[in-house]
């Protein structure tokens, strides 16, 4: 099941000014410090954090909403070398007010599904009738109407600054359509994609590599869509062994296993490995499973050899870092993000603890780094909260 994600929202400038007028404080000071890098260096990944609080249902007869909007969020520039452990011991987002009205708040109330992020710093959300792009820095909103029931949509990231979305409409085995955003960032175009019945099934992940689209199906097979070929667009099944058989340990289904991404002109698949242990919940009469990040595996698509090759070292001479979040993944040059302490040949991740709504116990979010060379988690820090449930993701911020 696709995770329901509530989009973090941009800080309200007027609220920050009021905080400074009152003398500021730790939160206000951190806001100024952290956002300076955000506005000057687009290539530096930032952590986008939102904290959700449960609000009791209103019993007032004049109330127009069954549940009040109760959320705060922040854009956080964290030290990617892990030095937060030697200071506060946790990555606490700066205080930032959330706009209670507007397009972003409306998307939150509609509980749309988060489907990925674009290279230009926009988050993509899909509903039953359309796809929406939100810039959490500028609060700008745009999107397109799918003109029909949107069964599933996913972003094909990579391949420059454009945005490409595959949308499945109607019946379960309906072929997808490719929606592309023009260079002006305003106009959308739609192209139908011819596919066989077996290819029209569930597509788990998509990536744009050198202008071609690679789609990962739920059975582990890969298809290619090449817009450079004469129309109509066709989905071509590649003669590559199923990815599911290459994983260690092998899996029967790839659902929620990992993501495709583009890195130095190659298609990669990154997979999170989890450590699970059973533990008694102290506040509830039940047993929960404590899940932690044990490591990552990376595989490279080798069309010539018709296989997925396991990657022990990321391309780029050790100057590549991968950032993984639920429903999205991207790669950056570590040297370009050196100002934030980015380390090469590492996978940066976010983790989430399990929540128990019966006892209102929230596991909280974490962020950390895994070394491909040392094959171990270098550090994992907790995203501090004030008692609510936190959600986090990596993205490349942009003010354009």
């Amino acid at each position: 099941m696709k995770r329901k994600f509530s989009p973090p929202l941009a800080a309200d400038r007027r609220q920050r000014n009021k905080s400074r007028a009152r003398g500021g404080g730790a939160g206000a000071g951190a806001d100024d410090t952290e956002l300076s890098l955000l506005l000057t260096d687009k290539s530096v990944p930032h952590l986008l954090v939102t904290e959700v609080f449960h609000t009791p249902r209103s019993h007032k007869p004049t109330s127009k909403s069954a549940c009040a909007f109760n959320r705060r969020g922040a854009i956080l520039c964290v030290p990617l070398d892990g030095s937060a452990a030697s200071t506060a011991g946790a990555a606490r987002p700066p205080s930032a007010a959330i706009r209670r009205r507007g397009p972003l708040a409306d998307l939150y109330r509609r509980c749309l599904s988060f489907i990925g992020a674009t290279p230009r710093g926009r988050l993509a959300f899909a509903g039953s009738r359309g796809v929406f792009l939100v810039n959490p820095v500028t609060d700008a909103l745009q999107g397109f109407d799918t003109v029909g029931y949107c069964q599933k949509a996913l972003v094909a990231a990579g391949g420059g600054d454009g945005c490409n979305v595959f949308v499945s409409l109607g019946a379960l085995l309906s072929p997808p359509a490719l929606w592309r955003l023009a260079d002006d960032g305003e106009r959308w175009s739609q192209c139908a994609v011819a596919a066989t019945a077996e290819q029209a099934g569930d597509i788990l992940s998509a990536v744009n590599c050198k202008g071609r689209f690679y789609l990962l199906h739920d059975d582990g097979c890969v298809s290619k869509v090449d817009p450079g070929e004469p129309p109509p667009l066709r989905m071509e099944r590649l003669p590559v062994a199923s990815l599911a058989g290459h994983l260690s340990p092998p899996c029967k289904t790839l659902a929620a296993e990992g993501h495709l991404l583009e890195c130095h002109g190659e298609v990669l698949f990154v997979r999170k490995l989890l450590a699970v242990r059973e533990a008694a919940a102290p506040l509830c009469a039940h047993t929960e499973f404590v899940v932690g990040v044990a490591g990552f595996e990376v595989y490279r698509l080798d069309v010539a050899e018709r296989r997925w090759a396991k990657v022990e070292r990321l391309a780029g001479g050790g100057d590549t870092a991968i950032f993984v979040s639920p429903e999205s993944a991207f790669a950056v040059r570590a040297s370009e993000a050196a100002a934030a302490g980015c380390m090469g040949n590492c996978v940066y991740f976010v983790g989430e603890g399990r929540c128990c709504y019966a006892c209102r116990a929230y596991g909280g979010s974490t962020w950390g780094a895994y070394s491909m060379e040392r094959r171990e988690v270098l550090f994992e820090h907790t995203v501090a909260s004030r008692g609510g449930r936190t959600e986090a993701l990596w993205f490349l911020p942009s003010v354009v």
Side-chain angles (χ1 to χ4, degrees), residues 290-353:
V290 180
V291 181
V293 177
F296 286 85
E297 289 182 341
V298 181
Y299 296 84
R300 176 178 57 86
L301 178 62
D302 190 338
V303 179
E305 296 292 332
R306 300 185 178 184
R307 67 188 183 99
W308 287 90
K310 192 170 184 179
V311 176
E312 303 294 345
R313 182 177 177 82
L314 299 179
D319 190 32
T320 300
I322 294 177
F323 289 78
V324 181
S325 301
E327 307 302 335
S328 67
F330 61 89
V332 302
R333 293 185 182 274
S335 57
E336 295 181 356
C342 184
M343 299 178 292
N345 205 33
C346 287
V347 179
Y348 288 87
F349 61 89
V350 293
E352 293 181 350

Side-chain angles (χ1 to χ4, degrees), residues 352-368:
E352 293 181 350
R354 291 184 177 270
C355 300
C356 176
Y357 296 99
C359 60
R360 294 189 180 181
Y362 303 106
S365 301
T366 62
W367 67 277

Side-chain angles (χ1 to χ4, degrees), residues 212-373:
R212 301 180 179 89
F213 299 99
Y214 296 84
L215 312 177
L216 177 63
H217 301 271
D218 56 358
D219 59 358
C221 294
V222 180
S223 296
K224 181 181 70 172
V225 176
D226 189 353
E229 295 182 353
L233 292 182
R234 297 184 179 276
M235 191 180 298
E236 173 191 358
R237 181 66 64 96
L238 296 181
V240 178
S242 172
L243 175 61
H246 286 74
L247 303 181
S248 56
C251 63
K252 295 182 180 180
T253 175
L254 286 176
E257 281 286 332
H259 311 284
L260 293 180
L261 70 147
E262 185 272 337
C263 180
H264 294 280
E266 296 180 325
V267 176
L268 300 183
F269 176 81
V270 57
R271 176 199 190 194
K272 180 189 293 184
L273 303 178
L274 299 177
V276 182
R277 63 183 178 88
E278 190 174 336
L283 301 178
C284 261
H286 69 265
T287 299
E288 65 176 351
F289 290 95
V290 180
V291 181
V293 177
F296 286 85
E297 289 182 341
V298 181
Y299 296 84
R300 176 178 57 86
L301 178 62
D302 190 338
V303 179
E305 296 292 332
R306 300 185 178 184
R307 67 188 183 99
W308 287 90
K310 192 170 184 179
V311 176
E312 303 294 345
R313 182 177 177 82
L314 299 179
D319 190 32
T320 300
I322 294 177
F323 289 78
V324 181
S325 301
E327 307 302 335
S328 67
F330 61 89
V332 302
R333 293 185 182 274
S335 57
E336 295 181 356
C342 184
M343 299 178 292
N345 205 33
C346 287
V347 179
Y348 288 87
F349 61 89
V350 293
E352 293 181 350
R354 291 184 177 270
C355 300
C356 176
Y357 296 99
C359 60
R360 294 189 180 181
Y362 303 106
S365 301
T366 62
W367 67 277
Y370 172 80
S371 172
M372 294 287 294
E373 181 177 0

